[in-house]
Amino acid sequence: AQTVTQSQPEMSVQEAETVTLSCTYDTSESDYYLFWYKQPPSRQMILVIRQEAYKQQNATENRFSVNFQKAAKSFSLKISDSQLGDAAMYFCAYRSARTGANSKLTFGKGITLSVRP
Amino acid sequence: DAGVIQSPRHEVTEMGQEVTLRCKPISGHDYLFWYRQTMMRGLELLIYFNNNVPIDDSGMPEDRFSAKMPNASFSTLKIQPSEPRDSAVYFCASRLRPRGTEAFFGQGTRLTVV
């Protein structure tokens, strides 16, 4: 079974600075997807960024980028120029891409990010 | 599109009562998921449907929980009878079949059983 680990329960960053959130996962599969979701106080789960395992290039979305290390099974999220609105809980998630595999998302425990003005 | 719509947003009920949570997925999406979020266990899958058919219900905790998807635009999650340990946020999510598409989540229902 796949597992996703987010070992840091909380992090804090100064506004306009850069912060990196860590995530590791365990799988025996070679084809899968990794996601970062943001959950602000409103409770809504919002997709931040997605990475396909067969793509070596790291995904980027504006101020958000990932460092995907497939061999190390590591998938960290970097937030540049942090803004007050980035304060939220962030979840790393895994989904198999294998045909016929379970389509569910497996989530890490999440990390609470606070942004200091 | 209005996104995934869940109702109610909040539900407070007494132990032993029946609770029904509702979800309207995004039109055209093939998959529908029910997740539960608690402080202790985080986000865990309860059940998911593909084209209205339940595919994996291994996460449903007990027989007190049941889920249905009578058509492509509506699903329910029912708890009968409810217990205080069922208190959690319940999320519904949907997505399209093609590879790589992400799941879109509703705003969740916060259930409190007293």
Side-chain angles (χ1 to χ4, degrees):
Chain A
Q2 293 81 24
T3 57
V4 177
T5 302
Q6 295 178 255
S7 56
Q8 308 153 303
E10 297 179 354
M11 284 197 77
S12 180
V13 63
Q14 190 74 37
E15 194 176 5
E17 297 296 309
T18 295
V19 64
T20 299
L21 311 182
S22 301
C23 172
T24 59
Y25 58 94
D26 189 26
T27 183
S28 59
E29 299 183 329
S30 59
D31 196 10
Y32 49 86
Y33 304 99
L34 297 165
F35 305 86
W36 277 98
Y37 278 88
K38 171 185 177 181
Q39 186 179 40
S42 67
R43 212 167 64 206
Q44 180 79 50
M45 294 286 286
I46 304 164
L47 180 73
V48 175
I49 200 164
R50 173 182 64 214
Q51 176 76 42
E52 300 175 61
Y54 67 89
K55 289 186 176 179
Q56 293 188 348
Q57 186 174 8
N58 289 325
T60 62
E61 286 288 341
N62 301 314
R63 297 183 297 108
F64 299 88
S65 61
V66 299
N67 183 4
F68 172 49
Q69 300 290 327
K70 191 172 184 179
K73 295 179 182 174
S74 170
F75 183 60
S76 60
L77 175 69
K78 185 171 82 172
I79 307 174
S80 303
D81 186 25
S82 297
Q83 301 176 359
L84 295 177
D86 294 333
M89 198 153 185
Y90 288 81
F91 292 92
C92 180
Y94 170 102
R95 177 164 68 83
S96 174
R98 180 171 54 86
T99 302
N102 195 306
S103 288
K104 72 178 183 181
L105 285 166
T106 300
F107 287 92
K109 292 290 190 186
I111 178 171
T112 300
L113 177 68
S114 59
V115 181
R116 303 185 302 274
Chain B
D1 199 313
V4 177
I5 299 173
Q6 290 187 248
S7 64
R9 284 270 285 160
H10 306 274
E11 176 81 28
V12 180
T13 190
E14 290 186 348
M15 182 173 63
Q17 296 298 306
E18 177 180 295
V19 175
T20 299
L21 310 182
R22 297 173 175 78
C23 175
K24 177 178 167 53
I26 294 174
S27 177
H29 280 194
D30 306 278
Y31 289 88
L32 183 138
F33 305 83
W34 283 100
Y35 288 89
R36 179 171 67 177
Q37 184 179 28
T38 61
M39 288 291 290
M40 290 296 294
R41 300 172 67 90
L43 276 155
E44 52 184 350
L45 178 75
L46 298 176
I47 185 171
Y48 82 89
F49 297 83
N50 178 210
N51 292 325
N52 313 339
V53 176
I55 302 300
D56 180 2
D57 65 354
S58 60
M60 297 285 264
E62 301 169 29
D63 291 345
R64 297 185 296 106
F65 284 70
S66 62
K68 294 182 180 180
M69 191 164 186
N71 57 62
S73 59
F74 184 66
S75 177
T76 59
L77 178 68
K78 185 178 294 186
I79 308 172
Q80 165 64 21
S82 58
E83 296 182 2
R85 61 192 168 122
D86 300 332
S87 298
V89 178
Y90 292 81
F91 285 100
C92 177
S94 70
R95 76 171 179 89
L96 281 169
R97 183 179 181 83
R99 285 172 58 96
T101 55
E102 69 268 26
F104 292 84
F105 283 76
Q107 290 196 291
T109 295
R110 179 176 293 281
L111 173 65
T112 303
V113 183
V114 298

